[in-house]
Amino acid sequence: MSAETADRVHRRTEALAAEGIDVVRVAYPDMMGSDRGRDILLHHLPHAVGHGLAFSRAVYHTAALGDHSYIPGGLEAGMPDFLVRPDLTTLVALPWEPGVAWCIGDVRDPATGLPVPESPRDLLRQVIGRLLDADLTAVVGPELEYVLLDPDPDSPVGWRRYAPAPGHVYTTGRKSDPDGHLLRTLRALHALGLDVSGGNREFDSGQFEINLSHSEALDAADRAFRFKAAIKELAHAEGRLATFMAKPFNDGGGSGCHVHLSLVDAEGRNVFDAPREPYGLSAPARHALAGVLAHAPALSALLNPTVNSYKRFGPDTTAPWLVNWGLDNRNALVRVPPERGGAARLEARLGDATANPYLAIAGLLAAAHLGIAAAEEPPAPMTGEGRDRGTATPLPTDLGRALDALEGDDQLTDALGKPFVDAFLTFKRDELARFQRYVTDWEFREYARLV
């Protein structure tokens, strides 16, 4: 650490102490998008910035319940370290934990000083860098849904949906949120500096959507990552569970992760806007759209990354399941909202809320960039409900097919980097194998008495 950097860190440490901060929470995303990290006492911050905090690289290969995948650099290599250095530009006080400041860490290999292949934040940086080389900056606005649950010892899963109120989609206030969860949460997220724009009750009971304002891609992913972690923390503090599962209940709807994206040039002009061209979209916009459609089957592995994800799709759902696009049509996989000018953008609607924001955004931007390079035009926009299989290809119908599509998409694999894709495929195929060995309640109910 240079003398100048050390002086900056020292001044920052003194400022934090003056604000009553004595602990810094350093977090980083794993491949699932979950927050991993460590709390350090404030006096240790200069050492953490200069040297880094050591973690076992096998954490990237560890699933939700502790199962390990055999990915190069992990268990078979003796579980070596990687280092996490606090990114002080992301440091913010936690409104609900007095004395604690929260920041995101940069992950590095201690031997080379380079990012490790499994680091989602660095993968997104890599994709952003290619766009910057073309004098393009990605602007992204994520929209995330989640379901809030109350404890219920009589439920088979131990939880029930908060505030059952069928039909209260797009409502606010106590009629659908009797405990005031949404307002409390919006205020906490605002105090955290996440630049949320608003929220409402969504389609299902206990389901909420909170929108994040658009910003440059890395900042948008950072805020979406923190948003998910914060929502879960705030729910835990109230004895509740907030789940971003794609479809947590058989008799309920799914939770989506919609991503609005556009590109601006070096002067800050939206390059997607072109009033005199087809659909009011420029050639780069149409080519980017064609790229997302062309790589949509592979993208589903990143934006619909769990076994449960594929329970959300189908002809009888509002989730898009065919590879198509539409003008202001929410049945489409890619919707083009009606605004033009500086607000011209694409809305990718295939993702569900389990998606890792860094991987989802990186995949979409890589596909858009590939589309621009190929300079191909998209097909005609769909109209109406768009459920005709004869006019569009279906997305993969399960996680295994999605992983196969990702592995078979050489262009997208090259754009994301083979080391990352190999690690991701191994991690997810292990997850799929565990599920395929698991005896479900459905199987017992279906077969136990009659066969």
Side-chain angles (χ1 to χ4, degrees), residues 159-177:
W159 301 92
R160 67 175 183 274
R161 279 164 282 195
Y162 161 72
H168 281 213
V169 61
Y170 293 161
T171 60
T172 57
R174 298 304 171 108
K175 59 184 175 294
S176 57
D177 182 14

Side-chain angles (χ1 to χ4, degrees), residues 89-105:
T89 66
T90 68
L91 195 65
V92 62
L94 273 178
W96 55 86
E97 287 218 38
V100 179
W102 187 21
C103 74
I104 300 173

Side-chain angles (χ1 to χ4, degrees), residues 13 91 228 250 288 340 431 451:
T13 303
L91 195 65
K228 293 179 73 172
N250 281 311
R340 294 295 183 268
E431 177 182 326
V451 296

Side-chain angles (χ1 to χ4, degrees), residues 11-22 24 42 45 91 101:
R11 291 197 304 271
R12 192 66 185 273
T13 303
E14 288 185 333
L16 290 169
E19 296 171 18
I21 301 294
D22 64 348
V24 175
L42 181 60
L45 182 61
L91 195 65

